[in-house]
Amino acid sequence: MADKQDEKKITPRSEDFAGWYNDIVLRAELADYSPVRGCIVFRPDGFAIWEALRDELDRRIKKTGARNAYFPVFIPQSFLKKEAQHVEGFAPEVAVVTHGGGKELEEPLIVRPTSETIINHMFAQWIHSHRDLPLMVNQWCNVVRWEMRTRIFLRTAEFLWQEGHTAHATRDEAERETLTMLEVYRNFAEEFLAIPIAAGRKSAAERFPGAEETYTIESLMGDGRALQCGTSHFLGQNFARAFEIRFLDENNQMVHPWQTSWGVSTRLLGAIIMTHGDDQGLRLPPAVASTQAVIVPIWRKADDRDAVLKAARAALSALEKADIRARLDEREGVTPGFKYNDWEMRGVPLRIEIGPRDVASGEAVMARRDIAGAAGKSKASLEGIAGHAKSLLAEIQKNLLLQARAAMTANTHQVDSYARLQEQMSGEGGGGFADIYWCGRAECETKIREETRATCRAIPLNQSLVAGKCVVCGEPASERALFAKAY
Amino acid sequence: MADKQDEKKITPRSEDFAGWYNDIVLRAELADYSPVRGCIVFRPDGFAIWEALRDELDRRIKKTGARNAYFPVFIPQSFLKKEAQHVEGFAPEVAVVTHGGGKELEEPLIVRPTSETIINHMFAQWIHSHRDLPLMVNQWCNVVRWEMRTRIFLRTAEFLWQEGHTAHATRDEAERETLTMLEVYRNFAEEFLAIPIAAGRKSAAERFPGAEETYTIESLMGDGRALQCGTSHFLGQNFARAFEIRFLDENNQMVHPWQTSWGVSTRLLGAIIMTHGDDQGLRLPPAVASTQAVIVPIWRKADDRDAVLKAARAALSALEKADIRARLDEREGVTPGFKYNDWEMRGVPLRIEIGPRDVASGEAVMARRDIAGAAGKSKASLEGIAGHAKSLLAEIQKNLLLQARAAMTANTHQVDSYARLQEQMSGEGGGGFADIYWCGRAECETKIREETRATCRAIPLNQSLVAGKCVVCGEPASERALFAKAY
């Protein structure tokens, strides 16, 4: 940890966002490149963030009534072809297993890019009667989509995710489920990851291949580009028809169920970095930080060492007893200043400094990661340190969301002319969200994409009743949509 | 749930162990066959058992200092070849990806059968100094080994597992780690899964490909066959040499670290079924049961319905408040007797019956799944039902281990002649453990395997100091070993 390389500064975010992002990922030891093209290694400090968010989201998903299951990683190639839009969307990016146990396979297997097909094949065997519905399963697994231009966490050939798949007796119930999960995701992203969300439905062009409607939670990263953080799909009866899922309804008719699927992935780790990080490095919301508070003991004279370490260890024990994930940095041979920078870079939300004068006065300095400099520092009595830390961590969690929401608001512009839209999206970086009236026609969407590189990120669910005119064609538009350049 | 098929009895265990096993797996909805050869589907009731045991084992693994990480599912084919024994062991059973993104790959990728190679490739980049050691990572993931004769949970092409990989500065420390994890597994299997364990080292023939020493936890299933439940390998410097992992030790010498790897898999679900199940179906240890107690309300007259359901719901709420995973079976149209059989088949450890007379007397009948018939029944006051249930569940957890240990002891025979060994292993089923003096030579081991189908399961760690004579060749033998026919 005290290697020379840690003393190098990371690239400033304002200078080179992509370079800054990679520096954080590698230097904070969140992930590493692997010898397999497009695949990454999740290192313990990165995987711990995934574990924290996975465990919390898993609890929330189970609360909705879904249960976890596990389906094969391999899918017969013929399955993918059963739903026309689905195969069109996924066939170009699959990995294909052609040999197993030393022999060529009769039918090649694809490594799942998503599991609608194999899960619905099983649903067809499990669903017979309306009493078998709703059927709601969720799966945490790895998926593979062959990507040529990869970026750690954001776009990788293999990634980890959860995919929920549900079947319902009525269209209405399935539509409600789609929106229930959208809200679970929105709430989770804001409360737990402190990532502000714009939720809405996707345009037809941006829909999941095979869905009737796709809903999304989008956020705006530090460079003004949008990131899709999760999606919830209303599949209608498309897969039920393709896989011949039928049940005897209450009127004794054989009918197809109505379905949904929904997922979030390890891309959320990228969202956390790009939403909260700053020039000093990572800033982790306390809820996902594997180290929430780090204690740095300070002494110059050997005489002070014992008293300082004794107080620091007592503080550590008090924090741990209060279920705060804390650690004490006892490294010798590196300066306190080096330690400050190191833990700031790694995103620890709260730093606690204890020196000889603090011990004498029975106090410690609490330095918040979310507020730089003196403004983020306060004193706490050593005696009540756990309670103080707990309330600071709660404040930091809230404040990171407020800061991010303020940035998103500042980067969202209601634009009422095509020229203004072009202006907003000009330049190399992002351009934030453009909140525009759009007539909903594909031609106007395509024109925007081709000329500004902005795509339709979300059509918000709650629309004002006032109609307007499409910024592209000037025709009447009943809805506003958020456009942005996206990851 | 109330389908006709549930009324069919499962095959008695004594008649046809394999048929009985499959009946339980399918009827208790633990798993299902999939359309992909050798791959299975873990259904929610089966996956919930895996989740319970995974979460507990994960806590225990983290306590030893290992941290979770995640490495790519694909491994370059050339990696497998770097360790001679490793490639020999795994090459015949790998699945090979030859195409990605519509193109043929320059180098085929194999789907990981185990991750020593890719993890050690990364270790070579992370380990430079003795200060980087010990490095201890664990990974929960799917692995693939092409199997032709598959059996749900026990031998499948794809399975789930955890694999720990550690690197240490000294041989001694790595050897200690190997044994530490063996003990973690042994203790976990006995305490949490109620599966009695014979722990020991493997013979050279049964070692993990690439290991210097393999340790194992073995148990005896209900049919007298042994099942390997987990292994811990001392890898020496074999992989460190193959992947050129070197570090600067405290004497400023560049040396190879010493390594271990260790794992358990979803095969443990099979172990639970085959250790505890009986003719009525599954019997789950309370620690892993997703439903620990089921309440069955009983009434004949409509008049009694409300009072019984009211008492049953109050009991449910009391159990839930005490963190007991409980459910109330309110199904109508099926008899209480049907419900008893159904929940017994599904392995629920504790059944609580509440009828009109019970309500009147303020009591409930508690029926233990681990003790059949009247002997397993007792009364509990409705008022104190949660406390009563909690202590019964603790007793059941212990008793299942005692019962299984008694069966294992009864099926373990100290055999002092080859004729007796042959006799013990004759017949179609298992034959239990034969505890024999073995000289340690491969010839004698091979003779036993070829003539009796029993293999060396474990050479126990604690040996008596008395030497004896090999049951095969009569030469001096310093150690006893457990031989058995195995899954």
Side-chain angles (χ1 to χ4, degrees):
Chain A
M1 264 189 213
D3 278 346
K4 285 274 154 56
Q5 67 164 14
D6 288 309
E7 294 174 45
K8 282 189 303 190
K9 288 242 169 200
I10 59 170
T11 306
R13 195 179 94 153
S14 47
E15 269 177 28
D16 172 5
F17 197 82
W20 165 84
Y21 178 81
N22 278 337
D23 277 359
I24 288 189
V25 166
L26 299 175
R27 295 279 309 287
E29 299 179 343
L30 304 180
D32 208 342
Y33 297 104
S34 90
V36 181
R37 190 192 177 102
C39 292
I40 63 166
V41 174
F42 292 79
R43 300 188 70 175
D45 280 344
F47 199 74
I49 301 174
W50 178 244
E51 286 182 296
L53 79 81
R54 179 196 66 191
D55 290 352
E56 173 66 17
L57 183 57
D58 191 63
R59 270 190 290 276
R60 294 180 184 222
I61 289 172
K62 283 177 177 157
K63 247 192 197 167
T64 70
R67 299 184 69 199
N68 286 341
Y70 187 80
F71 296 83
V73 64
F74 298 132
I75 297 176
Q77 205 169 36
S78 57
F79 277 33
L80 199 66
K81 298 178 180 155
K82 290 195 177 183
E83 212 285 335
Q85 289 175 298
H86 198 66
V87 65
E88 205 182 302
F90 287 106
E93 54 184 40
V94 296
V96 187
V97 175
T98 55
H99 291 72
K103 287 186 186 154
E104 186 164 358
L105 305 181
E106 283 178 28
E107 182 185 359
L109 297 172
I110 63 170
V111 184
R112 65 183 158 218
T114 179
S115 302
E116 273 75 9
T117 57
I118 196 152
I119 289 181
N120 282 309
H121 173 89
M122 298 310 299
F123 274 18
Q125 296 171 55
W126 298 337
I127 296 173
H128 306 291
S129 143
H130 62 89
R131 285 174 295 132
D132 299 322
L133 299 175
L135 181 55
M136 302 164 73
V137 298
N138 178 53
Q139 158 168 283
W140 293 91
C141 66
N142 55 340
V143 286
V144 170
R145 297 177 188 177
W146 214 260
E147 296 277 359
M148 294 316 283
R149 294 180 313 134
T150 60
R151 196 150 186 192
I152 290 185
F153 298 139
L154 301 178
R155 196 185 300 108
T156 50
E158 183 192 17
F159 56 93
L160 305 179
W161 78 345
Q162 62 69 215
E163 48 178 321
H165 298 268
T166 72
H168 306 265
T170 65
R171 177 183 188 107
D172 190 50
E173 190 182 306
E175 282 178 335
R176 270 206 312 275
E177 168 69 10
T178 314
L179 292 174
T180 295
M181 288 313 303
L182 183 73
E183 174 58 16
V184 166
Y185 288 155
R186 189 201 61 74
N187 194 274
F188 168 73
E190 297 201 335
E191 273 187 8
F192 203 74
L193 310 181
I195 295 175
I197 293 297
R201 64 176 210 280
K202 286 283 185 192
S203 65
E206 302 280 336
R207 257 177 223 147
F208 177 76
E212 277 195 20
E213 203 72 87
T214 287
Y215 295 88
T216 180
I217 56 167
E218 302 274 327
S219 193
L220 212 50
M221 302 297 99
D223 62 346
R225 277 181 200 271
L227 184 77
Q228 178 178 302
C229 294
T231 46
S232 182
H233 316 295
F234 171 65
L235 303 175
Q237 295 177 312
N238 291 343
F239 287 91
R241 275 192 294 266
F243 288 87
E244 298 178 15
I245 314 176
R246 285 193 186 83
F247 70 97
L248 205 59
D249 74 6
E250 291 187 314
N251 307 316
N252 263 334
Q253 303 292 310
M254 286 299 282
V255 294
H256 294 300
W258 300 84
Q259 299 189 269
T260 82
S261 68
W262 25 271
V264 303
S265 76
T266 36
R267 154 173 269 222
L268 285 175
L269 300 186
I272 291 169
I273 299 168
M274 294 196 296
T275 300
H276 302 301
D278 65 13
D279 279 356
Q280 276 63 54
L282 189 58
R283 300 195 308 168
L284 287 173
V288 299
S290 62
T291 301
Q292 298 174 310
V294 62
I295 303 170
V296 178
I298 308 163
W299 71 88
R300 286 192 195 165
K301 289 178 271 179
D303 289 359
D304 294 329
R305 186 178 177 278
D306 286 357
V308 165
L309 278 183
K310 192 180 160 198
R313 284 176 193 151
L316 176 67
S317 147
L319 295 172
E320 284 174 342
K321 260 183 212 144
D323 283 329
I324 294 168
R325 298 187 288 271
R327 59 192 290 172
L328 168 58
D329 186 351
E330 292 202 37
R331 280 180 289 177
E332 309 222 347
V334 292
T335 64
F338 173 89
K339 293 180 182 178
Y340 295 177
N341 290 338
D342 189 31
W343 295 114
E344 278 186 358
M345 188 271 288
R346 291 169 189 272
V348 175
L350 184 61
R351 181 178 74 236
I352 300 175
E353 309 164 6
I354 302 180
R357 276 190 297 181
D358 301 307
V359 174
S361 65
E363 289 181 318
V365 175
M366 317 289 271
R368 296 169 61 151
R369 180 68 181 87
D370 62 324
I371 303 175
K377 289 197 177 188
S378 61
K379 292 253 183 185
S381 79
L382 284 170
E383 215 164 283
I385 198 156
H388 200 88
K390 241 194 157 75
S391 66
L392 277 179
L393 288 169
E395 274 179 46
I396 295 167
Q397 179 77 27
K398 277 188 202 148
N399 190 44
L400 284 173
L401 176 61
L402 290 181
Q403 288 181 358
R405 191 174 276 147
M408 184 157 117
T409 305
N411 268 314
T412 302
H413 306 287
Q414 289 209 349
V415 172
D416 52 14
S417 78
Y418 189 66
R420 290 277 304 280
L421 175 63
Q422 283 181 302
E423 192 189 329
Q424 186 181 338
M425 297 302 162
S426 65
E428 269 315 295
F433 279 132
D435 178 354
I436 59 171
Y437 274 112
W438 167 45
C439 61
R441 289 187 311 154
E443 300 94 284
C444 294
E445 185 183 13
T446 304
K447 184 177 158 77
I448 294 174
R449 188 179 65 244
E450 287 177 354
E451 293 179 3
T452 73
R453 284 172 297 147
T455 51
C456 180
R457 307 314 306 159
I459 303 160
L461 299 184
N462 298 316
Q463 294 277 343
S464 104
L465 295 173
V466 183
K469 287 183 175 166
C470 176
V471 294
V472 183
C473 67
E475 295 294 310
S478 61
E479 291 187 310
R480 301 192 74 98
L482 294 170
F483 277 70
K485 289 192 265 184
Y487 279 96
Chain B
M1 263 189 213
D3 279 345
K4 284 275 154 54
Q5 66 165 18
D6 288 310
E7 294 174 45
K8 280 191 303 192
K9 289 242 171 200
I10 59 170
T11 306
R13 195 179 94 153
S14 46
E15 270 177 28
D16 171 6
F17 197 81
W20 165 84
Y21 178 81
N22 277 337
D23 277 0
I24 288 188
V25 167
L26 299 175
R27 295 279 308 289
E29 298 179 346
L30 303 181
D32 208 343
Y33 297 105
S34 91
V36 182
R37 189 192 178 102
C39 291
I40 62 166
V41 174
F42 292 78
R43 301 188 69 174
D45 280 344
F47 199 75
I49 302 174
W50 177 243
E51 286 182 296
L53 81 79
R54 179 196 67 191
D55 289 353
E56 173 66 18
L57 183 58
D58 191 63
R59 269 189 291 276
R60 294 179 185 224
I61 288 172
K62 283 177 177 156
K63 249 193 196 166
T64 69
R67 299 183 70 199
N68 286 340
Y70 186 79
F71 297 82
V73 65
F74 298 132
I75 297 176
Q77 206 168 36
S78 57
F79 277 35
L80 200 64
K81 296 178 181 155
K82 289 196 180 183
E83 211 287 334
Q85 289 176 298
H86 198 65
V87 65
E88 205 183 301
F90 287 107
E93 54 184 40
V94 297
V96 187
V97 176
T98 55
H99 292 73
K103 287 186 187 153
E104 186 165 358
L105 304 182
E106 283 178 29
E107 181 186 0
L109 297 171
I110 63 171
V111 184
R112 63 182 159 219
T114 180
S115 302
E116 273 76 9
T117 56
I118 195 153
I119 289 180
N120 281 309
H121 173 89
M122 299 308 299
F123 273 18
Q125 296 170 55
W126 298 338
I127 296 174
H128 305 293
S129 143
H130 62 90
R131 283 175 295 132
D132 300 322
L133 299 175
L135 182 55
M136 301 165 73
V137 299
N138 178 54
Q139 160 168 282
W140 293 91
C141 67
N142 55 341
V143 285
V144 171
R145 298 177 188 178
W146 214 260
E147 296 276 0
M148 294 315 282
R149 295 179 312 134
T150 60
R151 195 148 187 195
I152 290 184
F153 297 139
L154 301 178
R155 195 185 300 109
T156 49
E158 183 192 19
F159 56 93
L160 306 179
W161 80 344
Q162 62 67 217
E163 48 178 322
H165 299 268
T166 71
H168 306 264
T170 65
R171 177 182 187 106
D172 189 50
E173 190 182 307
E175 282 179 334
R176 270 206 311 274
E177 167 69 11
T178 314
L179 292 174
T180 295
M181 288 313 303
L182 183 74
E183 174 59 15
V184 166
Y185 287 155
R186 190 201 61 74
N187 193 274
F188 168 73
E190 297 200 336
E191 272 187 10
F192 204 74
L193 310 180
I195 295 176
I197 293 298
R201 65 175 211 279
K202 286 283 186 194
S203 65
E206 302 281 335
R207 257 177 224 149
F208 177 77
E212 277 195 21
E213 203 73 88
T214 287
Y215 295 88
T216 180
I217 56 166
E218 302 275 326
S219 191
L220 213 49
M221 303 295 100
D223 62 346
R225 276 182 201 271
L227 184 77
Q228 178 178 302
C229 293
T231 46
S232 182
H233 314 295
F234 172 65
L235 304 175
Q237 295 178 312
N238 291 342
F239 287 91
R241 273 192 295 266
F243 287 87
E244 298 176 15
I245 314 176
R246 285 192 186 83
F247 70 97
L248 205 59
D249 73 7
E250 292 187 314
N251 307 316
N252 263 334
Q253 303 293 310
M254 285 300 282
V255 293
H256 294 300
W258 300 85
Q259 298 190 270
T260 82
S261 68
W262 26 269
V264 303
S265 76
T266 36
R267 155 173 268 222
L268 286 174
L269 301 185
I272 291 169
I273 299 167
M274 295 196 297
T275 299
H276 301 301
D278 65 12
D279 278 358
Q280 276 64 55
L282 190 58
R283 300 195 308 168
L284 287 173
V288 298
S290 62
T291 301
Q292 297 174 309
V294 62
I295 303 170
V296 179
I298 307 162
W299 71 87
R300 289 194 191 163
K301 291 177 272 179
D303 289 359
D304 296 329
R305 186 178 177 280
D306 286 358
V308 165
L309 278 183
K310 192 179 157 198
R313 285 175 193 152
L316 176 67
S317 146
L319 294 173
E320 283 174 342
K321 260 183 212 141
D323 283 329
I324 294 169
R325 299 187 288 270
R327 59 193 290 171
L328 168 58
D329 186 351
E330 292 202 37
R331 281 181 288 177
E332 309 222 346
V334 292
T335 64
F338 173 89
K339 292 180 183 178
Y340 295 177
N341 290 338
D342 190 30
W343 294 114
E344 278 186 358
M345 188 271 290
R346 290 168 190 273
V348 175
L350 183 62
R351 181 178 74 236
I352 300 174
E353 309 165 4
I354 302 180
R357 276 191 296 181
D358 301 306
V359 175
S361 64
E363 289 181 319
V365 175
M366 316 290 271
R368 295 168 62 150
R369 180 67 180 89
D370 62 324
I371 303 175
K377 290 196 177 189
S378 61
K379 293 251 182 186
S381 80
L382 284 170
E383 215 164 282
I385 198 156
H388 200 86
K390 242 195 157 71
S391 65
L392 277 179
L393 288 169
E395 274 180 44
I396 294 167
Q397 180 77 28
K398 277 187 205 151
N399 190 43
L400 284 173
L401 177 60
L402 290 180
Q403 289 181 358
R405 190 173 277 148
M408 185 156 116
T409 304
N411 268 314
T412 303
H413 306 287
Q414 289 210 348
V415 171
D416 52 15
S417 78
Y418 189 65
R420 291 277 304 279
L421 175 63
Q422 283 181 303
E423 192 189 328
Q424 186 182 337
M425 297 302 162
S426 65
E428 268 315 294
F433 279 133
D435 179 354
I436 59 171
Y437 273 113
W438 169 44
C439 62
R441 288 187 311 153
E443 299 94 283
C444 293
E445 185 183 14
T446 305
K447 183 177 159 78
I448 294 174
R449 188 179 67 243
E450 287 177 354
E451 293 179 4
T452 73
R453 284 173 297 149
T455 51
C456 180
R457 307 314 306 159
I459 302 159
L461 299 186
N462 298 316
Q463 294 276 343
S464 102
L465 295 174
V466 184
K469 287 183 176 167
C470 176
V471 294
V472 184
C473 66
E475 293 295 310
S478 60
E479 291 186 310
R480 301 192 74 99
L482 293 170
F483 277 70
K485 290 191 265 184
Y487 279 95

